[in-house]
Amino acid sequence: MKMMIAAAVIFLIQQKGLVSERRKYQLRSEINIKEVESMNKPYEIQPLRLLGGWTVEFNNFYECEPDNCNNFGEYFVEDLLQLTNSKNNLVLDLGWYLDSDKNGTYKLFLIKDYDWEKPLEYFESRNTKAIVDKIEYWTNYGFYQKYL
């Protein structure tokens, strides 16, 4: 149903001359990708409050608690979230370790100059709210300026 509505919207916009053929193809591709990604994911992406300067490299971090999640292995993997701040050469990386293991934990790293051997900050928890709070805190300039 969503695909039919999206296709109708694209068609109407194009008919009015507001979208080029190239953009129509891009929109259709974006809608198809989003549709496929969300088809089997009953949970939403975890909302985060981030200040400017951070880029989302990938985001597989869902609103799904480790102790109460259907299809656990689909949501709790090593590559959950990666944010970069290219101006300050920082990387924030979140994963679940061991991958797909119900006894695992979130591990959050703040890295400078891609030096994965010496993280600036490290935090580990099974609590999603604690991880969200730490991400929002670490991505605040008031916090990470001490590493610049």
Side-chain angles (χ1 to χ4, degrees):
M1 181 68 173
K2 288 181 188 176
M3 287 299 295
M4 290 175 25
I5 293 170
V9 168
I10 292 170
F11 176 77
L12 289 173
I13 291 172
Q14 187 188 16
Q15 291 300 311
K16 298 282 184 182
L18 301 173
V19 175
S20 67
E21 275 297 315
R22 180 172 173 230
R23 184 63 182 139
K24 177 182 166 188
Y25 177 77
Q26 288 172 333
L27 286 169
R28 184 172 288 130
S29 296
E30 290 170 12
I31 290 167
N32 287 339
I33 289 168
K34 288 177 184 172
E35 213 34 51
V36 168
E37 287 175 347
S38 65
M39 235 183 265
N40 295 320
K41 302 282 187 183
Y43 301 99
E44 297 292 325
I45 290 289
Q46 176 66 53
L48 297 169
R49 295 173 298 176
L50 304 174
L51 296 178
W54 291 90
T55 301
V56 177
E57 300 299 331
F58 59 84
N59 187 357
N60 300 305
F61 184 29
Y62 287 87
E63 288 184 296
C64 182
E65 290 298 326
D67 296 324
N68 188 22
C69 183
N70 298 329
N71 302 324
F72 185 90
E74 291 181 34
Y75 295 97
F76 292 89
V77 295
E78 285 187 18
D79 295 326
L80 289 176
L81 175 70
Q82 190 169 89
L83 308 173
T84 57
N85 185 314
S86 55
K87 179 181 176 187
N88 297 303
N89 212 15
L90 296 170
V91 176
L92 186 138
D93 189 74
L94 174 65
W96 182 265
Y97 298 90
L98 295 169
D99 191 320
S100 301
D101 183 342
K102 287 190 178 197
N103 296 316
T105 187
Y106 289 113
K107 292 187 179 183
L108 182 64
F109 300 88
L110 183 63
I111 307 295
K112 177 137 174 96
D113 299 326
Y114 296 96
D115 187 356
W116 293 90
E117 299 298 316
K118 297 177 188 169
L120 301 174
E121 299 285 340
Y122 171 78
F123 182 70
E124 188 174 321
S125 178
R126 287 184 57 85
N127 183 295
T128 303
K129 182 177 179 345
I131 291 295
V132 168
D133 290 347
K134 197 64 74 172
I135 291 168
E136 292 176 351
Y137 182 63
W138 286 3
T139 56
N140 188 310
Y141 180 77
F143 174 78
Y144 69 77
Q145 72 179 355
K146 63 186 172 188
Y147 296 117
L148 303 181

